[in-house]
Amino acid sequence: VEGKPVDPRSDLYSFGVTCWHMLAGRPPFSGDSAIAVAVQHLKTEPPRLESERPDLPPALARIVHKLMSKKPVDRYAAPREVLRELRLVQVDGVEEGWWDEIGHVEGISFETLPALTDARQRLTQVMQTQAIQFRERRQRTRLWLAAVGIALVVGALAAVVNRPRNLLADARAVIPKSETANDQFLVAQLQLVNREAWLKSVESYFPHDRYYVPRARQELVRLYLQQHRETEALALCEQLIALGKSEREFFAFGVAGQAIAYTSLGQLDRAAQAMGELYPERKHLDAQMARMMDYPIRANRKAMSQQASQDWDEWQKTLPPADDGQT
């Protein structure tokens, strides 16, 4: 995602994500786009596997989370290290000699496998050839950019000299305006780059629209929560709540956003209060926001009454399966 060099620890991270998914029954992260999921892989710690599967051996959960460490230096350096730690995992109901059946893989030397060696050599040759071609293209690109840069400077100076007035561009001009608020919102929803500015453009261009402006605010709240910008999310949640309970979809969304943001900020009392306000309106949440409520529900479970905890659990069972964000 960041374009940095990769090594075996990158594969170990992917392996850890696969293990988390297999053991928990769902992906560790979800979102409304592949980009949203990728950002979480970069910045968000996955939920603790022990919370999803308390029946698992603690050592196994620890191995999976080490595989998924954000910093490569915190992961295992090589697959053999994973195998050695797996050997120490005690699994109830499994005979002690289980490792003898698969332990031989630890001693495999991949250098002795002709097919892999040949494939690696051919891949190396291709990468070296591409590197040479890339350097040549980069040199040509530098020369082209230099020429363009000179032309732009000359053009800019001519424009400054000949301009009839001060051409301070309106910030909104960066985002083109659609004919209707509906179109503006739909186009904003499709954006993977500069998504925040596109969503803000709905209110900027159509400030009096009573449906798509709140819808855009909803998506901004979702974006801010994913980016851990809780303060900005809370400000928009207040605006959604201010629409009143007559606008149940927006009211419920705003209160849910408060519960998530306050939980992230460690303000569990305020999160619990928001969850109490949300419960009667919970059926008005969209599916994605309803699934995001899993976080404050788990974090605030100790502060809930047994009945409240059971009620939330029953509600979660009615939710549709989580989308992994890859569609």
Side-chain angles (χ1 to χ4, degrees), residues 5 10 29 31 67 71 91 99 103 112 141 150 161 164 167 179 185 192 210 225 248 251 256 298 322:
S10 306
F29 304 113
L67 286 166
K71 296 181 180 179
V91 183
W99 180 262
T112 64
T141 301
I150 293 173
V161 171
L167 300 178
E179 292 186 4
F185 177 76
L192 298 181
R210 300 179 62 181
L225 290 175
R248 293 182 170 232
F251 179 84
R298 287 187 291 105

Side-chain angles (χ1 to χ4, degrees), residues 202-216:
V202 177
E203 184 169 0
S204 178
Y205 285 127
F206 304 95
H208 302 299
D209 188 274
R210 300 179 62 181
Y211 180 72
Y212 287 103
V213 168
R215 284 291 306 277

Side-chain angles (χ1 to χ4, degrees), residues 134-320:
F134 174 74
R135 286 195 295 269
E136 292 175 348
R137 288 198 302 270
R138 184 170 60 182
Q139 183 63 29
R140 290 196 298 269
T141 301
R142 285 175 176 171
L143 293 174
W144 182 82
L145 288 175
V148 171
I150 293 173
L152 289 175
V153 170
V154 172
L157 289 174
V160 170
V161 171
N162 297 303
R163 66 182 178 183
R165 59 187 179 85
N166 183 13
L167 300 178
L168 292 177
D170 189 336
R172 297 182 305 176
V174 178
I175 305 297
K177 182 179 180 179
S178 301
E179 292 186 4
T180 66
N182 181 7
D183 292 341
Q184 193 77 22
F185 177 76
L186 292 178
V187 173
Q189 281 284 74
L190 297 174
Q191 304 305 312
L192 298 181
V193 179
N194 206 17
R195 181 176 175 80
E196 180 181 1
W198 275 93
L199 288 169
K200 287 183 174 180
S201 73
V202 177
E203 184 169 0
S204 178
Y205 285 127
F206 304 95
H208 302 299
D209 188 274
R210 300 179 62 181
Y211 180 72
Y212 287 103
V213 168
R215 284 291 306 277
R217 289 173 181 172
Q218 283 182 313
E219 296 307 316
L220 283 168
V221 169
R222 238 190 289 265
L223 179 66
Y224 292 156
L225 290 175
Q226 291 169 350
Q227 296 176 349
H228 295 288
R229 297 162 63 182
E230 286 83 4
T231 302
E232 292 167 271
L234 285 170
L236 289 175
C237 288
E238 290 288 350
Q239 295 178 1
L240 292 171
I241 294 171
L243 296 175
K245 291 187 178 181
S246 59
E247 299 288 349
R248 293 182 170 232
E249 173 191 350
F250 301 131
F251 179 84
F253 190 101
V255 179
Q258 284 185 331
I260 297 169
Y262 284 136
T263 300
S264 295
L265 293 171
Q267 300 179 29
L268 299 187
D269 290 343
R270 302 185 74 173
Q273 180 180 352
M275 291 174 66
E277 294 180 25
L278 171 64
Y279 192 78
E281 308 292 333
R282 65 195 184 283
K283 65 181 179 181
H284 300 290
L285 288 177
D286 63 61
Q288 185 184 356
M289 198 62 169
R291 288 192 294 269
M292 290 176 68
M293 281 299 298
D294 179 64
Y295 170 53
I297 290 172
R298 287 187 291 105
N300 291 277
R301 192 172 294 278
K302 291 182 179 180
M304 296 182 195
S305 66
Q306 183 176 0
Q307 184 60 50
S309 181
Q310 291 176 352
D311 290 343
W312 281 110
D313 288 341
E314 290 299 319
W315 173 68
Q316 286 189 301
K317 292 177 182 178
T318 66
L319 300 179

